Each structure stands twice: as structure tokens, then as C-alpha cells.
Amino acid sequence: MFGAAAMTTMLGLPIPLWQRLADGLAVTLQLTVFGALLAAVFAFLAGFARISRLRLVRGIAFGYTEAFRGLPALVVLFWLVFALPSLGWQLDPLAASVIAVALNIGAYGAEVVRSALAAIPPGQWDAATAVNLSRGQTLRMVILPQAVVTMIPSLSNLLIELLKATALVSLVYVQDLTFQGQIVRAATGKTAAVFLGLLLGYGLIALVLSGLMRALEHAAGKWAGRVVNS
Amino acid sequence: MTEDFITFRNVSKRFGKNVVLDDLCFSVRERQRITLIGPSGSGKTTILRMLMTLMRPDSGLITVGGDQLFPADEQQVARVRRRMTMVFQQYNLFPNMNVLRNITMAPMKVLGVPEDEAVDRARKLLELVGLTAKLSHYPSQLSGGQQQRVAIARALAMQPDVLLLDEVTAALDPELAAEVLDVLRDVADSLDVTMLCVTHAMRFARDISDQVLMFCTGKIIESGPPEQILEAPQHERTQRFLRSVLEEV
Amino acid sequence: MNFDWNVAWHSVPALLDGLLTALLSIAIGYPLAIALGLLLVFPQRSARPWIRIPVRVVVEFIRSTPLLVQLFFLFYVLPAFGVELSAFATGAIGLGLHYATYTSEVFRAGIESVPTGQWDAATALNLSTTRTWWSVVLPQAIPKVLPPLGNYAIAMFKDTPQLTAITVLEVLSAARAEGAQTFRYLEAITMAGLLYLLVSLVLAWLARRVEQRYATTRGIA
Ligand SMILES: Nc1ncnc2c1ncn2[C@@H]1O[C@H](COP(=O)(O)OP(=O)(O)OP(=O)(O)O)[C@@H](O)[C@H]1O
Ligand SMILES: [Mg+2]
């Protein structure tokens, strides 16, 4: 029996446990991708709403950013998973996780979007009015392309924060990388190796995400015409 | 004699305690070339910005071609903006677009001009401002004078009835300023636009304008043809202002 | 089920107990983050790549991996090496270590924001290194670092609920315990959320006060 087990180990860990970690990794990546997409929606909606001409819209966006930058992501997650059902809303734990993480990171992202929009020189708005662009056209064709370039470094940091926040879902029994790591630790007792391995795994994902964001920044810079003077 | 095209009637504007325009009245006829001069802070930019609908007066009446500005309905504002365009001291080119796109974008998106026609028009205008070779450059790759010439082409591409020029050479070295002023002389010669121009370049003002308005503390203190205002000013404040401007250069 | 204010009020004393623990953990963790962050600046500015690069890699690594896993690591692994710490102490150290990687970045940026001309001028005036740091560099760097440092204090506070995972009895642990007792998680967790929000807002206000005070006493607008 032990012989058979030895056949199916890799780096001292049985293959089925590797399978668990791979499943966990898949969940973490899913959470990161969908969380980032939803967070981007929140960030851009709320960020643009902050410069709306309607007071009510501005107020709602302000309330959202202030509230979710003041609330810990884990508390929001617990609320969605343990409190919301008693109000008659039962969310799938995975969905609750994506929403909790996105609400939190989206609020910080909204601040990034707002300040990037505010940092565009007022002369750009004036010039757009002088050639008779509408407000929507000005935002779309003049302001946003310039603002996106300045947003990307901060959004890239937020993406890493989002990846880190996904580990919280293990506390509501979503079977992500951290959750499966705990299982593997309990099964093998190799505490130091497993947790170090987990950290290295997250570190690698973070490295890949930063690389992708840098490529995006480069592409956006070209798209927005920040051509290097030669 | 044509009737008044732009009128300011009892227009006032203040920022806090700072009274910028004080019961101002003046009018401009179609195709007139007006130069606004006056010390810093006398409200020249404010006037142009109000015409461009970038700012509203506290009280008084502004009309452009029969349309009233403030209070105005959207159609009136749209009509005024359609006829009016402005060139700024800091150029304000769109840095995310190349020269051609800076010029063609608004005609295509606002006026619905087909692309090939817009490009055609842009090429002619670039010829007028002497920048055909820079078509696909980005603003950051151009000198200040070149950027300002593109900004003039961008404004003219909208085929405006009124061109507002706010110290368009103030950010430029004398040599580059001369380039831009030469272009504007050509524009004044070849096009039928009404021009309101704020400038400290007095020779240029004399060359192109029919009338000079001297502003001080929110009022017009002297006005008339350029030969009269620039060479034989009556008002002591105008004399002092012109002396200081000439010394500066 | 409706929100029952009675139940909610009953959970408050336990939550406040938890809040005290949370605040104590940042009272230890935050100074640790500052001290460690300052210490980490110097090797990161070293001219020797074999010092600079490994330290940067470790700092970057700690910063881009989840605090939660780091807490687990400390909680389960330290005892294996004979380091027996309470859950509370482990949590405070974990927070301090994690945030040191953020504060060291703040300090580095703050120091680098002082123009090189200032160093040149100090050399030209023959100031000692200590005098240069104390009288020239720090007074210019501090106003730059205060706002982000304040933000990280608040961020650290908002990470304290994660200590529940290593059995520290902070606010979220208290809310879970209350919920388990009354079978009403809605009130307990909602009140916990409101408490966090309130304290975050107060901390944000305090941070702004500190910034403004420093800015005005130094005559820097
Ligand atoms: N948005 C604003 N808020 C407050 N004050 C303003 C604003 N815009 C202009 N002002 C003030 O209004 C006055 C007139 O400004 P304006 O720009 O019209 O002067 P100007 O004649 O164009 O001067 P310059 O020759 O310096 O350009 C100045 O005192 C200026 O400080
Ligand atoms: Mg002006």
C-alpha cells in the first residue's frame, strides 16, 4: 500500500493532493478574474458618477466609496454569506465571494478613476467645448483615453490587492487555493512546506498579473499617443 | 452697414469680492476684427470664455446672431457653439490624437463631415498653417509654435463664423510667436470670419484689426480704430499700458 | 426575518471587547510596521546589488501575498521552531510584518522625493550626515509620507478581522460568537460592520488632523 502511494507522489506529496491544489488554484484564478471584472465595473461606474452633473448620482457614488473603503472585505463577505440569508437572499458562496471582493476593491478603484479624471487639465474640457463636442463625446474621446493611461499603475496595484483578498473566501468554506492548502496541511502535517508553497504560488500569480498589467500600460500608452520623443 | 452680430448689454461678473466685469456694454458687427487690450486681470479672457459658453455672467445680456446666451435653451447654446470657436493660450491640443485626428475629429463627430472630406479640409488647413509635413505627429512631438498653428487649424476646421483668440502667442518665444502671427494674418486675409482677439502684440493688432477696445477694471475705457488707440491714445491709463507693453518687448 | 434592534444592542458590549483587542493589536503592529519599514529602507537603497536585490524581492513577495496565509504560516510554523507566542502576539507581529513592506515603500518614495540638489546644498554647507538627515531631508520627506502612513494605519485596522482565523477574539470573532449563541448572525455582523465603519471614519479624521497639524506647524501648506 505504501509502495503504491510512493508511485503516485510528486515532491513528497500524493498526486490526489496535488489535484486538490490545482482545483484550488483554478478557483482562486476564477475569483480573481471575475472579481476584477466586477470591480472594474464598480470602479468606472462610481468613478464617473463622482463627476456627474446630478447631485444625487454624485452622492450615491460618494456614499459607496466611503462605505466600502471603511468596511473590511472580510466583514462584507461574512455579511453576504451569514447575514443576508436571514433577509431571504441566499447567494451562492462563490458569487458572494466575487461580490464582496469586487465591492471592496471597486471602491478603491473608483477613487483611482475619479482622481485620474480630475487630473486631466481643464483646458482639455475647454478645447472640447470650443470644437463643440458634447459632454459624452468629450469624456469618451478626449478625457478617458488620457485618464486610462494614468490609472493603470494604480489599478495594477489594486489587482494584486484583489488577488490577496481572494484568500479570505477560504474562511467561508469556498475551496480556493488557501482552503485546499489547509486540507493538504491537515492531511500531511507538512505545515511549513505547505504554507510556504502557498505563498510562493500567490507570489507567482502576482508576478504574472503585474507583468500583464505592465504590458497593458505599454499598449495603452501607445494607444493614447504618449509617443516617446526621439 | 450690417447690424450688430455680438452684443454685450450691461454684463457683470464677479468672483467673490473681485468685480471682473462691471456693467459692460459693447457690440461687434459681422466680419469685424476686434482686438481687446488691457492690463492683466481686466477681464479680457472672461469675455471670450463667456462667448464660448465656458462661463456665465452674473447679470446682463449677451446675444450672438440673435440668440441669447444665459439663460438659453439647449438649442440656442448649440447654435452659438456651432458658430463660435476659440484658440487658447496653452494650445490645449488633444495629446491622445495625432495632428490630423486633432483637426478632423470634431468635424466628423460634430458636423458629420465624411472622413475623406474632413481629411481633405485638414490638409488644406495644414497647408495654410505650414505644417503639411507634421500630419501624423503627436502634439508632444511639436514645438509650441507648431502646436498653436495646429490649434488654429483645428479651430478653422469647424468653419466658424467667429474666431476667439486668447493671447495665442503669450506662451511662445518671439520667433515662434512671429510664425503664429503670420499664419493669423493669412487667416484674416483669406477668411471671412469675425475675430475677437486678445493680444499684447501691438503691431499685429494694428495690422489685422478694425477696432481696438481698451479694458480696465471691468470696463472699456477707450475704443476706436487701431491707429487712433495705439498711436494717439487719449486716456492716461491707455498711455501707461501701451508704454509698459512696448518696453516689455 | 427582520432586523431586531434589541438583539443588535445586546451584541454591542461583546463587540466593543473585540474592538479593544483589535485596537491593541494595531497599537503593537503599527509601530512595528513603522520601525521595520524604516529598517528595510536602507538595504533597499544600498549600492550593492547583492544586498539590495534580495531584500527587494522579499519585500515585494510579502507585499504581494495574502496576509491571511502569512498569519497561518506564523501561527502554525513558529511553534514548530520552538517559538511559542499567543495568538494575539502572532497576529500583531503578522500585521506589523505585512505592513512594514508598505511603509518601507512609503519611506523610500518620501526620501527619494527630496531633490538631489538638497543633498548637494547640504554638502556645500559642510553639514554632517546626521545633520543633513535631521535638518534637511526628514523635514521635507515627512509631510510627503504622513498621508500614506495614515492610510496604512486605517488599512491595518481593517485587516484585523482576519485575526479571527487564528483564534484572536476581535470584533468579527465576537460577532460570530454572538451569532452562534442567538442564531441571529444578521444583527451581530451588521453591528460589527457599522462599528468598523465608524472607527475607520474616526481614524481617517484623526489622520487628517495629524497631517494638517504637521503641515501648519512647519509652515508647509
Ligand atoms: N475661475 C475663476 N475663479 C476666481 N477668479 C477668477 C476666475 N477666473 C478669473 N478670475 C479672476 O478674474 C479676473 C479677470 O480674469 P481674466 O482672466 O478675464 O483677466 P485677463 O484680462 O484675461 O488677464 P490676463 O491678461 O492676465 O490674461 C482676474 O482677477 C482673475 O483672477
Ligand atoms: Mg487672459
Side-chain angles (χ1 to χ4, degrees), chain C residues 3-70:
Chain C
F3 192 91
D4 185 340
W5 279 104
N6 235 336
V7 177
W9 282 123
H10 266 98
S11 66
V12 169
L15 295 180
L16 288 178
D17 267 353
L19 179 64
L20 191 65
T21 306
L23 291 175
L24 276 176
S25 74
I26 57 171
I28 295 169
Y30 191 64
L32 186 64
I34 298 284
L36 214 54
L38 271 175
L39 279 180
L40 283 171
V41 172
F42 298 100
Q44 291 192 79
R45 286 173 52 82
S46 166
R48 298 186 188 87
W50 66 88
I51 295 177
R52 189 179 64 236
I53 291 170
V55 174
R56 297 227 61 173
V57 167
V58 170
V59 166
E60 200 57 46
F61 176 65
I62 296 178
R63 197 177 32 191
S64 55
T65 52
L67 171 66
L68 182 65
V69 183
Q70 291 166 10

Coordinates of all heavy atoms in Angstrom, one line a residue, chain C residues 3-70:
Chain C
F3 N -34.7 42.8 11.0 CA -33.6 43.2 11.8 C -34.2 43.6 13.2 O -35.1 44.4 13.3 CB -33.0 44.5 11.2 CG -31.7 44.8 11.8 CD1 -30.5 44.3 11.3 CD2 -31.6 45.7 12.9 CE1 -29.3 44.6 11.9 CE2 -30.4 46.0 13.4 CZ -29.2 45.5 13.0
D4 N -33.6 43.0 14.3 CA -34.1 43.2 15.6 C -33.1 44.1 16.4 O -32.0 43.6 16.7 CB -34.3 41.9 16.3 CG -35.0 42.0 17.7 OD1 -34.9 43.2 18.2 OD2 -35.5 41.0 18.2
W5 N -33.5 45.3 16.6 CA -32.5 46.3 17.3 C -32.2 45.8 18.7 O -31.1 46.1 19.1 CB -33.1 47.7 17.3 CG -32.9 48.4 16.0 CD1 -33.9 48.6 15.0 CD2 -31.7 48.9 15.5 NE1 -33.3 49.2 14.0 CE2 -32.0 49.4 14.2 CE3 -30.4 49.0 15.9 CZ2 -31.0 50.0 13.4 CZ3 -29.4 49.5 15.1 CH2 -29.8 50.1 13.9
N6 N -33.1 45.1 19.3 CA -32.9 44.6 20.7 C -31.7 43.7 20.7 O -30.7 43.8 21.4 CB -34.1 43.9 21.2 CG -34.6 44.5 22.5 OD1 -33.7 45.1 23.2 ND2 -35.8 44.3 22.8
V7 N -31.7 42.7 19.8 CA -30.7 41.8 19.6 C -29.4 42.5 19.3 O -28.3 42.2 19.8 CB -31.0 40.7 18.5 CG1 -29.8 39.8 18.3 CG2 -32.3 40.0 18.9
A8 N -29.5 43.5 18.4 CA -28.3 44.2 17.9 C -27.6 44.9 19.1 O -26.4 44.8 19.3 CB -28.7 45.2 16.9
W9 N -28.4 45.6 19.9 CA -27.8 46.3 21.1 C -27.2 45.3 22.0 O -26.2 45.7 22.6 CB -28.9 47.1 21.8 CG -29.2 48.4 21.1 CD1 -30.4 48.8 20.6 CD2 -28.3 49.4 20.7 NE1 -30.3 50.0 20.0 CE2 -29.0 50.4 20.0 CE3 -26.9 49.6 20.8 CZ2 -28.4 51.5 19.5 CZ3 -26.3 50.7 20.3 CH2 -27.0 51.7 19.6
H10 N -27.8 44.2 22.2 CA -27.2 43.2 23.1 C -25.8 42.7 22.7 O -25.0 42.3 23.5 CB -28.2 42.0 23.3 CG -29.1 42.2 24.4 ND1 -30.4 42.6 24.3 CD2 -28.8 42.0 25.8 CE1 -30.9 42.7 25.5 NE2 -30.0 42.3 26.4
S11 N -25.5 42.8 21.4 CA -24.2 42.3 20.9 C -23.1 43.3 21.1 O -22.0 43.0 21.0 CB -24.3 41.9 19.5 OG -24.6 43.0 18.7
V12 N -23.6 44.6 21.4 CA -22.6 45.7 21.4 C -21.4 45.5 22.4 O -20.3 45.7 22.1 CB -23.3 47.0 21.5 CG1 -22.3 48.1 21.8 CG2 -24.0 47.3 20.2
P13 N -21.7 45.2 23.7 CA -20.6 45.0 24.7 C -19.6 44.0 24.2 O -18.4 44.3 24.3 CB -21.3 44.6 25.9 CG -22.7 45.0 25.8 CD -23.1 45.0 24.3
A14 N -20.0 42.9 23.7 CA -19.1 41.9 23.2 C -18.2 42.4 22.1 O -17.0 42.2 22.0 CB -19.8 40.6 22.8
L15 N -18.9 43.2 21.2 CA -18.2 43.7 20.0 C -17.2 44.7 20.5 O -16.1 44.8 19.9 CB -19.2 44.4 19.1 CG -20.2 43.5 18.4 CD1 -21.1 44.3 17.5 CD2 -19.5 42.4 17.6
L16 N -17.5 45.5 21.5 CA -16.6 46.5 22.0 C -15.4 45.9 22.6 O -14.2 46.4 22.5 CB -17.3 47.5 23.0 CG -18.3 48.5 22.3 CD1 -18.9 49.3 23.4 CD2 -17.6 49.3 21.3
D17 N -15.6 44.8 23.3 CA -14.5 44.0 23.8 C -13.5 43.6 22.7 O -12.3 43.7 22.7 CB -15.0 42.7 24.5 CG -15.1 42.9 26.0 OD1 -14.7 44.0 26.5 OD2 -15.7 42.0 26.6
G18 N -14.2 43.1 21.6 CA -13.4 42.7 20.4 C -12.6 43.9 19.8 O -11.5 43.8 19.4
L19 N -13.3 45.1 19.8 CA -12.7 46.3 19.3 C -11.4 46.6 20.0 O -10.4 47.0 19.5 CB -13.7 47.4 19.3 CG -13.2 48.8 18.8 CD1 -12.8 48.6 17.3 CD2 -14.2 49.9 19.0
L20 N -11.5 46.5 21.4 CA -10.4 46.8 22.2 C -9.2 45.9 21.8 O -8.1 46.4 21.6 CB -10.7 46.5 23.7 CG -9.7 47.1 24.7 CD1 -9.6 48.6 24.6 CD2 -10.1 46.6 26.1
T21 N -9.4 44.6 21.6 CA -8.4 43.7 21.2 C -7.8 44.1 19.8 O -6.6 44.1 19.6 CB -9.0 42.3 21.1 OG1 -9.6 41.9 22.3 CG2 -7.9 41.3 20.7
A22 N -8.7 44.5 18.9 CA -8.3 44.9 17.6 C -7.4 46.1 17.7 O -6.3 46.2 17.0 CB -9.5 45.2 16.7
L23 N -7.8 47.1 18.5 CA -7.1 48.3 18.6 C -5.7 48.0 19.2 O -4.7 48.6 18.9 CB -7.8 49.4 19.4 CG -9.1 49.9 18.6 CD1 -9.9 50.9 19.5 CD2 -8.6 50.7 17.3
L24 N -5.7 47.1 20.2 CA -4.4 46.8 20.9 C -3.5 46.1 19.9 O -2.3 46.4 19.9 CB -4.7 45.8 22.0 CG -5.1 46.4 23.4 CD1 -5.4 45.3 24.4 CD2 -3.9 47.3 23.9
S25 N -4.1 45.3 19.0 CA -3.2 44.6 18.0 C -2.6 45.6 17.1 O -1.4 45.4 16.7 CB -4.0 43.5 17.3 OG -4.8 44.1 16.3
I26 N -3.3 46.7 16.7 CA -2.6 47.7 15.8 C -1.7 48.6 16.7 O -0.8 49.1 16.1 CB -3.6 48.5 14.9 CG1 -4.6 49.2 15.7 CG2 -4.2 47.6 13.9 CD1 -5.4 50.2 14.8
A27 N -2.0 48.8 18.0 CA -1.2 49.5 18.8 C 0.2 48.9 18.9 O 1.2 49.6 19.0 CB -1.7 49.7 20.2
I28 N 0.3 47.6 18.7 CA 1.6 46.9 18.7 C 2.1 46.8 17.2 O 3.2 47.0 16.9 CB 1.5 45.5 19.3 CG1 1.2 45.7 20.8 CG2 2.8 44.7 19.1 CD1 0.8 44.4 21.5
G29 N 1.1 46.4 16.4 CA 1.5 46.1 15.0 C 2.0 47.3 14.2 O 2.9 47.3 13.4
Y30 N 1.3 48.5 14.5 CA 1.6 49.7 13.6 C 3.0 50.2 13.9 O 3.8 50.4 13.0 CB 0.6 50.7 13.8 CG 0.7 51.8 12.8 CD1 0.5 51.6 11.5 CD2 1.0 53.1 13.2 CE1 0.6 52.6 10.6 CE2 1.1 54.2 12.3 CZ 0.9 53.9 11.0 OH 1.1 54.9 10.1
P31 N 3.4 50.4 15.2 CA 4.8 50.9 15.5 C 5.8 49.9 14.9 O 6.8 50.3 14.4 CB 4.8 50.9 17.0 CG 3.4 51.1 17.5 CD 2.6 50.3 16.5
L32 N 5.4 48.6 15.0 CA 6.3 47.6 14.4 C 6.5 47.8 12.9 O 7.6 47.7 12.4 CB 5.7 46.2 14.7 CG 6.6 45.0 14.3 CD1 7.8 45.0 15.2 CD2 5.8 43.7 14.6
A33 N 5.4 48.0 12.3 CA 5.4 48.3 10.8 C 6.3 49.5 10.5 O 7.0 49.5 9.5 CB 4.0 48.4 10.2
I34 N 6.2 50.5 11.3 CA 6.9 51.7 11.0 C 8.4 51.5 11.3 O 9.3 51.8 10.4 CB 6.5 52.9 12.0 CG1 5.0 53.2 11.8 CG2 7.4 54.1 11.9 CD1 4.8 54.0 10.6
A35 N 8.7 50.8 12.4 CA 10.2 50.6 12.7 C 10.8 49.7 11.7 O 11.8 50.0 11.1 CB 10.3 50.0 14.1
L36 N 10.1 48.6 11.4 CA 10.6 47.6 10.4 C 10.7 48.2 9.0 O 11.6 48.0 8.3 CB 9.7 46.4 10.4 CG 10.3 45.0 10.2 CD1 11.4 44.8 11.2 CD2 9.2 44.0 10.4
G37 N 9.7 49.0 8.7 CA 9.7 49.7 7.4 C 10.9 50.6 7.2 O 11.5 50.6 6.2
L38 N 11.2 51.4 8.3 CA 12.4 52.2 8.2 C 13.6 51.4 8.1 O 14.5 51.7 7.2 CB 12.4 53.1 9.5 CG 11.7 54.4 9.5 CD1 11.8 55.0 10.9 CD2 12.3 55.3 8.5
L39 N 13.7 50.3 8.8 CA 14.9 49.5 8.7 C 15.1 48.9 7.3 O 16.2 48.8 6.8 CB 14.8 48.3 9.7 CG 15.2 48.7 11.2 CD1 15.1 47.4 12.0 CD2 16.6 49.2 11.2
L40 N 14.0 48.6 6.7 CA 14.0 48.0 5.4 C 14.4 49.0 4.3 O 14.8 48.5 3.2 CB 12.7 47.3 5.0 CG 12.4 46.0 5.7 CD1 11.0 45.5 5.5 CD2 13.4 44.9 5.2
V41 N 14.3 50.3 4.6 CA 14.6 51.2 3.5 C 16.1 51.2 3.1 O 16.4 51.2 2.0 CB 14.3 52.7 4.0 CG1 14.8 53.7 3.0 CG2 12.8 52.8 4.2
F42 N 16.9 51.1 4.2 CA 18.4 51.2 3.9 C 18.9 50.1 3.0 O 19.6 50.5 2.0 CB 19.1 51.4 5.2 CG 18.6 52.6 5.9 CD1 17.7 52.5 7.0 CD2 19.0 53.9 5.5 CE1 17.2 53.7 7.6 CE2 18.5 55.0 6.1 CZ 17.6 54.9 7.2
P43 N 18.7 48.8 3.3 CA 19.2 47.8 2.4 C 18.6 48.0 1.0 O 19.3 47.7 0.0 CB 18.8 46.5 3.0 CG 17.7 46.8 4.0 CD 18.0 48.2 4.5
Q44 N 17.4 48.5 0.9 CA 16.8 48.7 -0.5 C 17.4 49.8 -1.2 O 17.2 49.9 -2.4 CB 15.3 48.9 -0.3 CG 14.5 47.7 0.2 CD 13.0 47.9 0.0 OE1 12.5 47.8 -1.1 NE2 12.3 48.3 1.0
R45 N 18.1 50.8 -0.5 CA 18.7 51.9 -1.2 C 20.2 51.6 -1.3 O 21.0 52.5 -1.8 CB 18.5 53.2 -0.4 CG 17.1 53.7 -0.5 CD 16.9 54.9 0.4 NE 18.0 55.9 0.3 CZ 18.0 56.9 -0.6 NH1 17.1 56.9 -1.5 NH2 19.0 57.7 -0.7
S46 N 20.6 50.4 -0.9 CA 22.1 50.1 -0.9 C 22.6 50.1 -2.4 O 21.9 49.8 -3.3 CB 22.3 48.7 -0.3 OG 23.6 48.3 -0.6
A47 N 23.9 50.5 -2.5 CA 24.5 50.5 -3.8 C 24.9 49.1 -4.2 O 25.2 48.8 -5.3 CB 25.7 51.4 -3.8
R48 N 25.0 48.2 -3.2 CA 25.4 46.8 -3.5 C 24.3 45.9 -3.9 O 23.3 45.7 -3.1 CB 26.1 46.2 -2.3 CG 27.3 47.0 -1.8 CD 28.0 46.2 -0.7 NE 29.0 47.1 -0.1 CZ 28.8 48.0 0.9 NH1 27.6 48.1 1.4 NH2 29.8 48.7 1.3
P49 N 24.3 45.5 -5.2 CA 23.1 44.7 -5.7 C 22.8 43.4 -4.8 O 21.7 43.0 -4.7 CB 23.5 44.4 -7.1 CG 24.9 44.8 -7.3 CD 25.3 45.7 -6.2
W50 N 23.9 42.8 -4.3 CA 23.6 41.5 -3.6 C 23.0 41.8 -2.2 O 22.5 40.9 -1.6 CB 24.9 40.7 -3.4 CG 25.9 41.3 -2.5 CD1 26.0 41.2 -1.2 CD2 27.0 42.1 -2.9 NE1 27.1 41.9 -0.7 CE2 27.8 42.5 -1.8 CE3 27.5 42.6 -4.2 CZ2 28.9 43.3 -1.8 CZ3 28.6 43.4 -4.2 CH2 29.3 43.8 -3.0
I51 N 22.9 43.0 -1.8 CA 22.1 43.4 -0.6 C 20.8 43.9 -1.1 O 19.7 43.4 -0.6 CB 22.8 44.5 0.2 CG1 24.1 44.0 0.8 CG2 21.9 45.0 1.3 CD1 24.9 45.0 1.6
R52 N 20.8 44.8 -2.1 CA 19.6 45.4 -2.5 C 18.5 44.5 -3.1 O 17.4 44.4 -2.7 CB 19.9 46.5 -3.5 CG 18.8 47.4 -3.9 CD 19.2 48.5 -4.9 NE 19.6 47.9 -6.1 CZ 20.8 48.1 -6.7 NH1 21.7 48.8 -6.1 NH2 21.1 47.5 -7.9
I53 N 19.0 43.6 -4.0 CA 18.0 42.8 -4.7 C 17.3 41.8 -3.9 O 16.1 41.7 -3.9 CB 18.7 42.2 -6.0 CG1 19.0 43.3 -7.0 CG2 17.8 41.1 -6.7 CD1 19.9 42.9 -8.1
P54 N 18.1 41.0 -3.1 CA 17.3 40.0 -2.2 C 16.3 40.7 -1.3 O 15.2 40.2 -1.2 CB 18.4 39.3 -1.4 CG 19.7 39.6 -2.1 CD 19.5 40.9 -2.9
V55 N 16.7 41.8 -0.7 CA 15.7 42.5 0.2 C 14.5 43.0 -0.6 O 13.4 42.8 -0.1 CB 16.4 43.7 0.9 CG1 15.4 44.4 1.7 CG2 17.6 43.1 1.8
R56 N 14.7 43.5 -1.8 CA 13.6 44.0 -2.6 C 12.7 42.8 -2.9 O 11.5 42.9 -2.9 CB 14.1 44.6 -3.9 CG 14.9 45.9 -3.6 CD 14.5 47.0 -4.5 NE 13.1 47.3 -4.3 CZ 12.4 48.3 -4.8 NH1 13.0 49.1 -5.7 NH2 11.2 48.6 -4.5
V57 N 13.3 41.7 -3.3 CA 12.5 40.5 -3.7 C 11.6 40.1 -2.5 O 10.4 39.8 -2.6 CB 13.4 39.4 -4.2 CG1 12.6 38.1 -4.3 CG2 14.0 39.7 -5.5
V58 N 12.2 40.0 -1.3 CA 11.5 39.6 -0.1 C 10.4 40.6 0.2 O 9.2 40.2 0.5 CB 12.4 39.4 1.1 CG1 11.6 39.1 2.4 CG2 13.3 38.2 0.8
V59 N 10.7 41.8 0.2 CA 9.7 42.9 0.5 C 8.5 42.8 -0.5 O 7.3 42.7 -0.2 CB 10.3 44.3 0.4 CG1 9.2 45.4 0.3 CG2 11.2 44.5 1.6
E60 N 8.8 42.6 -1.8 CA 7.8 42.5 -2.9 C 7.0 41.3 -2.7 O 5.8 41.3 -2.8 CB 8.6 42.5 -4.2 CG 7.7 42.9 -5.4 CD 7.1 44.2 -5.3 OE1 7.8 45.2 -4.9 OE2 5.9 44.3 -5.6
F61 N 7.7 40.2 -2.3 CA 7.0 38.9 -2.0 C 6.0 39.0 -0.9 O 4.8 38.6 -1.1 CB 8.0 37.8 -1.7 CG 7.5 36.5 -1.4 CD1 6.8 35.8 -2.4 CD2 7.6 36.0 -0.1 CE1 6.3 34.5 -2.1 CE2 7.1 34.7 0.2 CZ 6.4 34.0 -0.8
I62 N 6.4 39.6 0.2 CA 5.5 39.7 1.4 C 4.3 40.6 1.0 O 3.2 40.3 1.4 CB 6.2 40.2 2.6 CG1 7.3 39.2 3.0 CG2 5.3 40.4 3.7 CD1 8.1 39.6 4.2
R63 N 4.6 41.6 0.2 CA 3.6 42.6 -0.1 C 2.5 42.0 -1.0 O 1.4 42.4 -1.0 CB 4.1 43.9 -0.6 CG 3.1 45.0 -0.6 CD 3.6 46.3 -1.0 NE 4.6 46.1 -2.1 CZ 5.3 47.0 -2.6 NH1 5.2 48.2 -2.1 NH2 6.2 46.8 -3.5
S64 N 3.0 41.1 -1.9 CA 2.0 40.6 -2.9 C 1.4 39.3 -2.6 O 0.7 38.7 -3.4 CB 2.7 40.6 -4.3 OG 3.8 39.8 -4.2
T65 N 1.5 38.8 -1.3 CA 0.9 37.6 -1.0 C -0.1 37.8 0.2 O 0.1 38.8 0.9 CB 1.9 36.5 -0.6 OG1 2.8 37.0 0.4 CG2 2.7 36.1 -1.8
P66 N -1.1 37.0 0.3 CA -2.2 37.3 1.3 C -1.7 37.3 2.7 O -1.0 36.4 3.2 CB -3.2 36.2 1.1 CG -2.9 35.6 -0.3 CD -1.4 35.8 -0.5
L67 N -2.2 38.3 3.5 CA -1.9 38.4 4.9 C -2.4 37.2 5.6 O -1.8 36.6 6.5 CB -2.6 39.7 5.5 CG -2.6 39.8 7.0 CD1 -1.2 40.0 7.5 CD2 -3.5 41.0 7.4
L68 N -3.6 36.7 5.2 CA -4.2 35.5 5.8 C -3.3 34.3 5.8 O -3.1 33.7 6.9 CB -5.5 35.2 5.1 CG -6.3 34.0 5.7 CD1 -6.8 34.4 7.1 CD2 -7.5 33.6 4.8
V69 N -2.7 34.0 4.7 CA -1.8 32.9 4.6 C -0.5 33.2 5.4 O 0.0 32.2 6.1 CB -1.4 32.6 3.1 CG1 -0.5 31.4 3.0 CG2 -2.7 32.4 2.3
Q70 N -0.1 34.4 5.4 CA 1.1 34.7 6.3 C 0.8 34.5 7.8 O 1.6 34.0 8.5 CB 1.5 36.2 6.0 CG 2.1 36.4 4.6 CD 2.2 37.8 4.2 OE1 2.0 38.7 5.1 NE2 2.5 38.1 3.0

